Amino acid sequence: DGGITQSPKYLFRKEGQNVTLSCEQNLNHDAMYWYRQDPGQGLRLIYYSQIVNDFQKGDIAEGYSVSREKKESFPLTVTSAQKNPTAFYLCASSITGDPGELFFGEGSRLTVL
Amino acid sequence: AQSVTQLGSHVSVSEGALVLLRCNYSSSVPPYLFWYVQYPNQGLQLLLKYTSAATLVKGINGFEAEFKKSETSFHLTKPSAHMSDAAEYFCAVSGTYNNNDMRFGAGTRLTVKP
């Protein structure tokens, strides 16, 4: 089955530690995205990539980093510079030029202890 | 820049009753509009989208939405609620074919009472 796989589903981190969230897709989509979801705030875009080896900052990129070395993979690193990292993180992908057809993974819930 | 406002963070209906979830948008260009559904601890799934074709858009699971330019609205409706409709619903707007400018509303949690 085609889809997006995020791992881990749940993650606990101590303050000051970096953590990397994995996102893999086998849909052959060019574009991939990372969103952060907080209660009552909807989804906010962290980073996006429309092609391999290129990515752009979204609305809330501070304290996060990404890479896009392969079409299938778009990992997100939450660095110690992110002041409030506890959240639900969602990865998505889409065909370039197809408005709205975002395909989402099941999310990763990060809790900072 | 685009934005959406969802009126009501929580909506509760009885099983079999009409579902109405409200969304108003703001956009400086003709918008593309979307409704997504999210079940607990899962990602979002596209319910339906408006991309400047018919103003009444039908989606999955019996949902539909009507684009009203004069009211800048894109409300989601379903004639008869089912227990399985309980979830969180997000309205979203985009001004281009590039999904990177899509903006989501804060969400409306739908509860269905037996």
Side-chain angles (χ1 to χ4, degrees), chain A residues 35-113:
Chain A
Y35 290 91
R36 171 180 171 137
Q37 185 177 16
D38 296 283
Q41 294 194 46
L43 277 67
R44 292 181 290 168
L45 183 63
I46 305 172
Y47 269 98
Y48 64 96
S49 168
Q50 293 183 308
I51 196 169
V52 174
N53 291 323
D54 186 54
F55 48 83
Q56 306 296 327
K57 294 182 179 180
D59 297 326
I60 56 165
E62 185 175 353
Y64 300 97
S65 66
V66 294
S67 63
R68 186 89 186 275
E69 297 177 1
K70 298 185 302 182
K71 186 176 185 178
E72 301 79 18
S73 178
F74 192 41
L76 173 74
T77 297
V78 184
T79 75
S80 57
Q82 170 50 235
K83 298 304 180 188
N84 186 21
T86 294
F88 190 53
Y89 292 89
L90 286 162
C91 179
S93 71
S94 72
I95 299 170
T96 302
D98 189 358
E101 292 283 0
L102 286 175
F103 293 81
F104 284 85
E106 294 199 340
S108 293
R109 187 168 297 281
L110 172 63
T111 302
V112 175
L113 304 174

Side-chain angles (χ1 to χ4, degrees), chain B residues 6-44:
Chain B
Q6 292 185 239
L7 301 176
S9 59
H10 290 88
V11 170
S12 181
V13 300
S14 298
E15 191 173 19
L18 171 71
V19 175
L20 172 60
L21 304 182
R22 300 177 187 273
C23 173
N24 287 90
Y25 70 90
S26 173
S27 178
S28 57
V29 297
Y32 300 111
L33 293 158
F34 317 92
W35 276 99
Y36 284 85
V37 61
Q38 183 182 34
Y39 298 100
N41 293 313
Q42 293 189 21
L44 279 67

